[in-house]
Amino acid sequence: MTPRPVPRSTVARLPIYLRALEELTAQGVTTTSSGQLAELAGVGPAQLRRDLSFLGSHGVRGVGYDVEHLYEQVAGALGVTVDLAVVIVGVGNLGHALANYVAGTGQGFRVVALVDADPTVIGTVVAGLEVEDVARLEEVVRRERATVAVLAIPSAVAQEVCDRLVEAGVTGILTFVPRVLQVPEGVDLRSVDLGTELQILAFHEQRKAALRG
């Protein structure tokens, strides 16, 4: 049976629901209502129920959701119950921080390789891994069977590196590079542009200042 398509907007909220469920679990809560979970996630109860319905979870009227069971459903949908191999390209300040963060979460992702072009970085050890030469990128990806890559590299070389990753078999890319990258159909690309996000915040701050007069 073909899985029911899940809207992108719903997928974007699933990690928020997972964090809320983790918080409830830490508090020893075993059953939650849509209202309680929605408040923790910062969405409306109706939106929460619609989102969870895509996972086949509807709760029990008058009882609510079993926290442990719902956590398993959301975690399964997000794929954090599997072990995806991740290669991080670019081990500067951001790449270094990302390597330690992903290595520390232990939820669905495993950093298998770190790659850089800087001779002073190659050979150093970060998050328990030796940084390898970007010249061997394809070999590293295939050796580790990495399917996900994180890019924290200069814009000028980003598209070339992206193309090499795709050619080597990577099908999911998270980029922190402030430029638009092109990937073929079948490859998922997620972009985090810190500069753009700050500019959006600046826009809203300016609007609020104008309203205050």
Side-chain angles (χ1 to χ4, degrees):
M1 179 183 294
T2 302
R4 182 184 177 192
V6 181
R8 287 181 177 270
S9 56
T10 294
V11 175
R13 286 187 288 270
L14 292 181
I16 302 173
Y17 299 151
L18 195 65
R19 286 197 295 270
L21 289 163
E22 288 173 346
E23 184 177 335
L24 290 173
T25 300
Q27 295 172 0
V29 177
T30 58
T31 304
T32 184
S33 66
S34 58
Q36 180 184 28
L37 185 56
E39 183 177 356
L40 284 172
V43 301
Q47 180 67 70
L48 175 90
R49 289 192 292 270
R50 279 196 298 272
D51 287 341
L52 295 183
S53 71
F54 285 102
L55 309 185
S57 183
H58 302 279
V60 178
R61 189 174 184 84
V63 177
Y65 296 92
D66 179 281
V67 172
E68 181 179 359
H69 177 66
L70 185 56
Y71 179 91
E72 291 174 354
Q73 282 188 301
V74 177
L78 285 170
V80 299
T81 56
V82 297
D83 192 22
L84 295 176
V86 179
V87 58
I88 296 179
V89 186
V91 194
N93 291 333
L94 178 57
H96 194 288
L98 290 169
N100 283 294
Y101 173 75
V102 177
T105 59
Q107 285 195 333
F109 299 95
R110 176 172 49 92
V111 180
V112 294
L114 304 174
V115 179
D116 203 282
D118 187 344
T120 65
V121 175
I122 296 169
T124 61
V125 176
V126 176
L129 293 170
E130 182 176 331
V131 180
E132 303 185 63
D133 194 332
V134 72
R136 300 176 51 240
L137 180 61
E138 291 86 350
E139 177 189 337
V140 171
V141 169
R142 292 181 178 126
R143 181 194 73 209
E144 300 296 342
R145 297 181 180 179
T147 56
V148 176
V150 178
L151 296 183
I153 56 179
S155 298
V157 297
Q159 186 62 60
E160 176 193 348
V161 171
C162 181
D163 293 342
R164 292 175 63 191
L165 287 166
V166 172
E167 181 64 26
V170 167
T171 55
I173 298 174
L174 173 63
T175 173
F176 288 84
V177 180
R179 64 168 289 185
V180 176
L181 298 177
Q182 303 297 325
V183 295
E185 186 177 351
V187 176
D188 293 307
L189 177 71
R190 298 289 297 178
S191 178
V192 179
D193 187 336
L194 301 179
T196 296
E197 296 302 323
L198 286 171
Q199 289 169 357
I200 292 172
L201 285 176
F203 170 84
H204 290 299
E205 288 302 311
Q206 180 175 274
R207 284 296 182 93
K208 286 184 282 189
L211 289 174
R212 290 194 296 267

